[in-house]
Amino acid sequence: MNENLPPCPRCSSEYTYAMDALMVCPECGNEWAPAGGEGSDGAAAGGRVVKDAVGNVLSDGDTVTVVKALKVKGSPSGIKAGTKVRNIRLVDGVDGHDIDCRIDGFGPMQLKSSVVKKA
């Protein structure tokens, strides 16, 4: 069944599967774009390059750090500066929100690349 699917780059598991345009590892939860399809640069999906607050190029699966405190609607406390966000996904969001992620204590949300720094 997995004859043509590559092993997980993080844990080398052979039980990977395809979900939409991404490859998924059920053992460690890693998601990545297969390298063979569109080219070797995962950040340039459709020729688009997303950069963080200091100019580093971001790609799917990166870990970033929030560089300034953010207010969150419906939450008494916001996201503090220095919060690490793991395994981001780059999306075409609304109002410049181009990072889709999950933040511990807040859940899934979208961030602007101008408020994060690559870790």
Side-chain angles (χ1 to χ4, degrees):
M1 182 176 189
N2 287 344
E3 306 93 25
N4 300 344
L5 300 178
C8 176
R10 184 179 293 167
C11 70
S12 301
S13 171
E14 61 185 29
Y15 302 109
T16 59
Y17 61 93
M19 182 171 60
D20 297 326
L22 295 175
M23 299 297 298
V24 180
C25 175
E27 292 185 4
C28 69
N30 186 25
E31 296 179 356
W32 72 97
E38 300 157 355
S40 61
D41 189 9
R48 192 175 76 112
V49 176
V50 178
K51 295 186 178 184
D52 65 1
V54 294
N56 297 324
V57 176
L58 297 174
S59 61
D60 288 342
D62 282 346
T63 299
V64 296
T65 305
V66 177
V67 295
K68 69 180 221 176
L70 303 173
K71 294 181 182 179
V72 178
K73 280 186 180 178
S75 175
S77 64
I79 300 171
K80 295 180 181 178
T83 302
K84 281 201 172 197
V85 182
R86 293 179 178 86
N87 201 14
I88 64 169
R89 286 183 292 159
L90 301 178
V91 296
D92 292 327
V94 179
D95 295 331
H97 294 84
D98 47 8
I99 296 175
D100 194 20
C101 61
R102 176 179 297 273
I103 299 178
D104 294 336
F106 291 96
M109 64 177 45
Q110 291 188 339
L111 298 173
K112 292 183 178 182
S113 58
S114 61
V115 297
V116 298
K117 176 178 71 169
K118 192 171 184 177

